[in-house]
Amino acid sequence: MSFHHELTGKNTHLYVSVQTAGGRQWFFHYMLIVSTTEMNAANPVTMRRFIISCNIERLTRVLNSPDFTDNRNYLQSLVHHYRQQLALFDAGEYGACGELGQELNAKCDGSCVDADELEIDGIETVLPTIILDPGPGLKILFVNEAFTTETGLSNGQLVGRPIFDVFPENPESSESECISHTFNSINQMTSLKEPQTLTHQRYDIGNCDGGFAECYWRMEFRPLLCVNEQVKFIEMVLVKLH
C-alpha cells in the first residue's frame, strides 16, 4: 500500500494505492475540504484517525462493489487490520468512549477514576472478572482470582497495564476481530450506560511459548457509575465457552 497527496487550491487530495494478490491495483481518492493552512496545522492525532477511518470506508466500498472480482480475502484482511488499528487508537487516545471520550470525561470529577475508590465487595467473584479504568488506555485496575486462574496470569502481569497490551490479537485469527468487537462493546456500554454482551467471541490468550491458545468467550460489560452518572469503572465478566 502506498500514499500520495496533492494540493489543489484550498483542497488536499490524498491517494491510496493497494496492490492485490492477483496483481490488480486499486486507487482510492480522498478530498479533504480544508485549507492548506489548516492542513499544515492539523492535529496529527486527528489526521491519523481520519485516514484510518477513510481506509475502512473505502476498502469496504470496494468489497461491496459488484465489479470487484479479485482476491476478496486479501482486502477483507486489510479491513480487519484497520478496524483493529482504529479500536487500538481510540482506546489509547480517548478511552472507553472513543472519540467522544475527552468531552464526556470532562463532565466527571477527578475522583471518578481513582482506583482506591473501587469497592471490591460488590464485584463478581465466581466468574472471571476484570475492572477497567474507562480513561485513555483502558488500564486494568483489578482482576479477581477466577480470572487469574482461568488465564494463568498473575496480578503483577495484569494490573496497571492497558487491556489490549496484555491481550493482543492473535495474528493468525484476525478474522475474529476480537479487539474491535471488544472495544465497540465497551464504547456502546459507556455511551448508553447499559450492560452490553458479546455472546460468542473468539479471543485467543497468549501462552508462555509465544503462541496463542484458541478460546471462545461470553463477554459482558457492565458500567459502574459515579455520583454524576458518568462511568466510573468498567466491569468485564467472562464465561469461557470452549
Side-chain angles (χ1 to χ4, degrees):
M1 178 175 291
S2 62
F3 298 88
H4 169 66
H5 75 273
E6 297 176 358
L7 299 178
T8 57
K10 293 185 177 181
N11 298 328
T12 296
H13 299 259
L14 176 67
Y15 299 88
V16 180
S17 169
V18 176
Q19 186 83 31
T20 69
R24 188 171 180 180
Q25 198 164 32
W26 289 81
F27 293 92
F28 306 94
H29 171 227
Y30 310 93
M31 186 169 69
L32 315 182
I33 311 301
V34 296
S35 69
T36 304
T37 301
E38 290 171 328
M39 187 68 182
N40 291 337
N43 185 328
V45 171
T46 303
M47 287 305 302
R48 184 182 171 199
R49 188 184 194 283
F50 173 81
I51 291 172
I52 294 172
S53 299
C54 284
N55 285 341
I56 296 170
E57 177 188 349
R58 295 303 178 93
L59 288 169
T60 301
R61 188 177 301 175
V62 170
L63 281 168
N64 293 334
S65 170
D67 298 327
F68 181 70
T69 58
D70 280 339
N71 190 336
R72 298 184 63 83
N73 290 337
Y74 175 71
L75 281 197
Q76 189 63 63
S77 70
L78 288 178
V79 173
H80 293 162
H81 169 76
Y82 285 119
R83 285 176 181 162
Q84 179 208 62
Q85 291 302 302
L86 184 61
L88 291 173
F89 179 87
D90 280 351
E93 290 290 335
Y94 305 115
C97 273
E99 199 175 16
L100 299 177
Q102 289 178 323
E103 176 185 347
L104 293 176
N105 287 340
K107 298 178 183 177
C108 282
D109 58 36
S111 65
C112 281
V113 290
D114 186 349
D116 292 337
E117 294 187 4
L118 185 60
E119 298 177 1
I120 305 297
D121 293 342
I123 294 173
E124 173 70 49
T125 57
V126 177
L127 297 175
T129 299
I130 310 175
I131 301 297
L132 300 177
D133 178 345
L138 296 177
K139 293 182 179 179
I140 299 171
L141 300 177
F142 170 83
V143 294
N144 65 5
E145 184 177 350
F147 186 87
T148 57
T149 300
E150 186 67 73
T151 62
L153 299 172
S154 67
N155 273 279
Q157 293 173 291
L158 298 165
V159 175
R161 298 180 60 194
I163 185 171
F164 297 130
D165 284 1
V166 180
F167 300 106
E169 192 169 276
N170 180 356
E172 300 300 321
S173 68
S174 61
E175 72 281 355
S176 68
E177 297 197 66
C178 58
I179 286 180
S180 59
H181 289 172
T182 299
F183 178 75
N184 290 341
S185 293
I186 291 173
N187 184 293
Q188 185 83 343
M189 178 224 68
T190 310
S191 299
L192 299 177
K193 301 182 181 67
E194 297 176 354
Q196 300 293 313
T197 302
L198 292 173
T199 57
H200 191 273
Q201 175 63 53
R202 178 174 178 177
Y203 205 129
D204 298 346
I205 302 297
N207 52 38
C208 58
D209 63 5
F212 286 82
E214 184 173 339
C215 301
Y216 293 83
W217 309 84
R218 182 183 186 275
M219 308 167 72
E220 183 177 357
F221 307 89
R222 306 170 182 172
L224 304 179
L225 305 181
C226 54
V227 291
N228 59 0
E229 296 303 308
Q230 297 304 308
V231 175
K232 182 176 186 179
F233 302 112
I234 298 164
E235 184 177 24
M236 183 175 169
V237 182
L238 309 174
V239 176
K240 190 173 183 180
L241 302 176
H242 55 92

